[in-house]
Amino acid sequence: MATPIPMSTLKSGAKIPCVGLGTWEAPKGEVGNGIKSAIEAGYRHFDLAAVYGNEKECGEAFAEIFKSGIVKREDLWITSKLWNSEHRPERVLAACQKTLADLQLTYLDLYLIHWPVAHVPKDEPEQTDSRGFTKIDHVPIAATWAAMEELVAKGLVKHIGVSNFTVALLNDLLNSCKIQPEVNQIEMHPYNQQWDLVEYCQRQGIHCTAYSPLVRVGTVHGLPVNVMTDPVIGKIAEKHKKTPAQIAIRWQFQRMPNISVIPKSTKKERVIENFNVFDFALDDEDLKEIRALDRGFRVCQPIDFFGLPVFA
Ligand SMILES: NC(=O)c1ccc[n+]([C@@H]2O[C@H](COP(=O)([O-])OP(=O)(O)OC[C@H]3O[C@@H](n4cnc5c(N)ncnc54)[C@H](OP(=O)(O)O)[C@@H]3O)[C@@H](O)[C@H]2O)c1
């Protein structure tokens, strides 16, 4: 019998599978097959976003999967995200409905505010500022959040959360919300462990999902930062007869309870490899050695793509 997928419990009592499939830069023509391979491998958690530009193909894959009867809609945890250009409260419902239509779904398990950054909507004439970045729109997070809460009331989304939120932003949001954010999706990997933020979230009952858990693999920002060739990760992988990717994934939900992790691949063998992490455990020495790798390195540098030092 297959090992049951470890689950985390959200504040509401809902269960989220600890390992899911990421879909950022999963190209059209590949993402659907990636989802199908993942379902066959046992994944039940999928991380999507409107801005990834591939939700239609994801929706076609889900429709085929449900039709085949392999799994039912209620067996899956499907997350999507509100893009920056849709923060104005009057735009939130339409953005969510567009995602649902593309995905051919009647509800999402989780809808996240993708970034704590509002951009002017794409249909406005003045799009860029003098530096060439998309213009910032002055929408309070609390106003966007209230519109997210209405999506729950309408039954379009079961849970709501945020992504890329710092302690200060979460603290502020917790003072004004009616429904508390249940998840904060953040960059986390051995080179950016975010202990303070995760510990704060845990105290508030906010689950953390780790994105870019494999540090996107390879050269990032021109630096040869690669968790897959890290000697410490390599040594631990050898000890457990696992791959470096499996060590980096397992570490996420073993180092603390209430963390899920969403490695991305569209290649069948890697999709399978990344899910094959439930039949071993890291020991205290492994955890100590991985902890020492933390260097606050970020893959996602919003100063580069939004012109804003979001994490300053
Ligand atoms: N909320 C946010 O702002 C945010 C930001 C970034 C990411 N995310 C989410 O988190 C997901 C994961 O993060 P990510 O895509 O940035 O990076 P990642 O999962 O750290 O790395 C993905 C890269 O690793 C390769 N890869 C995957 N498994 C591998 C394996 N076993 N061996 C060797 N290479 C492997 C993939 O290539 P192939 O596909 O060619 O296999 C891809 O190039 C995203 O897809 C997205 O869903 C969210």
Side-chain angles (χ1 to χ4, degrees), residues 62-82:
F62 289 130
E64 246 184 78
I65 287 160
F66 299 143
K67 202 168 159 205
S68 74
I70 308 171
V71 290
K72 298 192 282 297
R73 168 67 186 94
E74 56 270 30
D75 298 329
L76 302 187
W77 181 281
I78 300 177
T79 299
S80 185
K81 314 187 192 83
L82 178 80

Side-chain angles (χ1 to χ4, degrees), residues 31 58 65 79 81 84-85 124 130 142 147 159 169 178 180 186 214 219 227 231-232 244 246 251 277 283 286 297:
V31 68
C58 295
I65 287 160
T79 299
K81 314 187 192 83
N84 303 355
S85 53
E124 297 229 333
S130 56
H159 307 275
L169 287 169
K178 285 198 207 117
Q180 179 174 320
I186 51 178
L214 307 176
T219 306
V227 81
V232 173
Q246 289 169 328
W251 168 77
V277 292
D283 60 34
D286 302 333
F297 173 83

Side-chain angles (χ1 to χ4, degrees), residues 6-11 16-18 182 184 186 188 193-195 197-210 250-261 287 291:
M7 303 285 229
S8 265
T9 306
L10 301 187
K11 195 158 187 173
I16 182 169
C18 281
E182 285 200 79
N184 188 19
I186 51 178
M188 282 197 289
Q193 303 190 10
Q194 305 239 48
W195 287 95
L197 178 53
V198 179
E199 277 162 8
Y200 168 84
C201 287
Q202 302 241 328
R203 281 200 302 281
Q204 301 298 335
I206 301 170
H207 172 92
C208 289
T209 298
R250 171 86 205 181
W251 168 77
Q252 294 283 358
F253 60 92
Q254 207 192 305
R255 69 173 172 139
M256 269 204 207
N258 253 331
I259 291 183
S260 57
V261 51
L287 294 173
R291 185 154 186 164

Side-chain angles (χ1 to χ4, degrees), residues 22-24 47 52 81 114-115 163-164 185 211-217 228 245 262-267 270 273-274 300:
T23 59
W24 181 28
D47 184 73
Y52 300 164
K81 314 187 192 83
H114 203 145
W115 283 91
S163 179
N164 297 300
Q185 185 179 119
Y211 77 64
S212 303
L214 307 176
V215 203
R216 305 222 87 214
V217 180
M228 312 293 273
I262 46 171
K264 173 261 170 183
S265 182
T266 51
K267 299 191 170 59
R270 288 180 177 173
E273 174 188 333
N274 295 346
C300 280

Side-chain angles (χ1 to χ4, degrees), residues 87-148:
H87 276 214
R88 291 184 190 174
E90 65 276 17
R91 298 180 72 96
V92 171
L93 174 62
C96 181
Q97 285 171 328
K98 164 89 169 71
T99 275
L100 286 171
D102 284 351
L103 294 175
Q104 305 186 35
L105 300 177
T106 54
Y107 70 90
L108 293 169
D109 295 278
L110 178 64
Y111 200 42
L112 306 175
I113 296 182
H114 203 145
W115 283 91
V117 174
H119 282 148
V120 295
K122 290 193 171 49
D123 43 22
E124 297 229 333
E126 290 291 311
Q127 276 295 303
T128 47
D129 67 16
S130 56
R131 297 180 302 156
F133 289 107
T134 306
K135 269 192 177 168
I136 297 302
D137 200 15
H138 299 288
V139 186
I141 290 290
T144 307
W145 189 254
M148 297 281 284

